[in-house]
Amino acid sequence: LGWASIDGEEPIALVSAALHHTVKTAFGGLLVTPMALLGDLDLDGFDALAIPGGMDRAGPPGFYADALSEPWLAVVRHFNQRDKPIASVCVASLSLGAAGILKDRSATVYHQVGGKRKSQLEGYGAKFVDESLVVDGKLISSSGPGTGIEVALALLVMLTSKANADKIRKLMRVPIPDAAWRTTPQVQPGSVAGA
């Protein structure tokens, strides 16, 4: 979304925020310092919520400890109650489910063979769709880390316009995925084993 601030229809300010002063990433344990703590922000001053995915491989407290915690779920509910766009990448859609906003709504999640995350999402009442990117009203969910740029562009459409998102896509040299990218199941029929 940073490119949209420079070359788009209107400035888009991106603020990284977290529950803690530092966040340890799942890949290599890189420490990330958010711009703000969630508790210090006036959430009504924001137009949308974008949630990256993660995993617990980095060690305590781990992605799910924060993503499924009540302080975080309250943030998700806040944006939903105000009918503001919420975008989630990979397993972050589990936060939407845990917050209670996916009941009878279409969504996707990273799930792989065995379907553990798919089952979790359905357990929250979501209608699982095995596609790369699913938009249901103002909720965006995706099936893996490689979908992040498409999630950002879908969010940009909601915040500005399709023409603006198309312009940013072109400037960033991001190709338009073909229909198969969106609709190819993440787990192929006949796959067995795994988690």
Side-chain angles (χ1 to χ4, degrees):
L1 294 177
W3 280 63
S5 292
I6 299 166
D7 293 310
E9 293 174 354
E10 60 186 90
I12 304 270
L14 180 64
V15 176
S16 64
L19 296 171
H20 312 285
H21 290 284
T22 57
V23 177
K24 189 176 183 183
T25 68
F27 303 99
L30 174 70
L31 294 178
V32 177
T33 303
M35 297 164 69
L37 291 176
L38 281 167
D40 295 340
L41 296 174
D42 174 9
L43 298 179
D44 287 326
F46 293 88
D47 297 319
L49 177 64
I51 313 167
M55 59 179 76
D56 281 341
R57 292 185 184 167
F63 170 78
Y64 296 104
D66 285 348
L68 303 178
S69 71
E70 189 50 43
W72 175 249
L73 299 178
V75 171
V76 173
R77 288 185 203 107
H78 177 93
F79 280 84
N80 186 63
Q81 289 164 352
R82 284 152 183 80
D83 197 33
K84 293 184 177 183
I86 302 173
S88 62
V89 177
C90 196
V91 295
S93 58
L94 295 176
S95 288
L96 309 185
I101 68 169
L102 287 182
K103 183 149 179 53
D104 298 323
R105 307 226 20 215
S106 297
T108 195
V109 68
Y110 180 85
H111 64 96
Q112 290 301 315
V113 175
K116 177 181 177 180
R117 302 298 178 211
K118 173 188 175 194
S119 294
Q120 284 179 292
L121 193 70
E122 290 173 328
Y124 292 124
K127 296 178 201 170
F128 176 77
V129 179
D130 197 0
E131 294 187 1
S132 299
L133 184 78
V134 175
V135 178
D136 186 326
K138 291 190 179 177
L139 300 180
I140 303 166
S141 58
S142 74
S143 63
T147 63
I149 197 143
E150 292 303 320
V151 170
L153 290 166
L155 183 57
L156 187 58
V157 168
M158 288 184 187
L159 292 172
T160 61
S161 70
K162 183 174 182 332
N164 188 44
D166 288 346
K167 174 184 175 184
I168 298 305
R169 177 188 292 279
K170 183 177 178 182
L171 288 172
M172 290 178 62
R173 301 182 53 83
V174 176
I176 297 171
D178 63 20
W181 175 86
R182 183 178 289 269
T183 60
T184 299
Q186 190 174 28
V187 177
Q188 299 302 315
S191 299
V192 294

